[in-house]
Amino acid sequence: MRRRRVAAEDSTVYRITGARQSLDDDVRGRQRRYIISMLVRTLAVVLTLLLWNVSRPLASVTLVLGVVLPYVAVVIANAGRENAPSLPSTFLTSGSVRALPPGNEDPHKRS
């Protein structure tokens, strides 16, 4: 038995490379970035404690990093989903084509 061939009009291939990331993947990615930022902050605080008597300027830099990083991590973690600039606009432009052309007859006039 032979399989029937699909008609040419049904062979359209749709690409989803421009589709948005799923909400679960987006939240998981933001959680991962936050955890990594907090691990770096913890490392900075530990380095501050270890370097305090060895090199105060370097310990001061790690201290500032440990203080500033939580704010930056929260801002990055709370950043919304990515924008999708390739999605079509919902607004009609002046050059848009109407679905039906305007009629030539008066709608109240009967023949």
Side-chain angles (χ1 to χ4, degrees), residues 70-85:
Y71 173 75
V72 173
V74 167
V75 169
I76 290 172
N78 288 334
R81 296 183 74 184
E82 76 278 358
N83 292 332

Side-chain angles (χ1 to χ4, degrees), residues 29-49:
R30 286 192 278 150
Q31 287 173 342
R32 188 178 322 123
R33 286 190 299 270
Y34 182 78
I35 289 172
I36 290 170
S37 298
M38 287 299 101
L39 288 173
V40 170
R41 181 207 184 221
T42 304
L43 180 65
V45 170
V46 169
L47 281 175
T48 300
L49 295 174

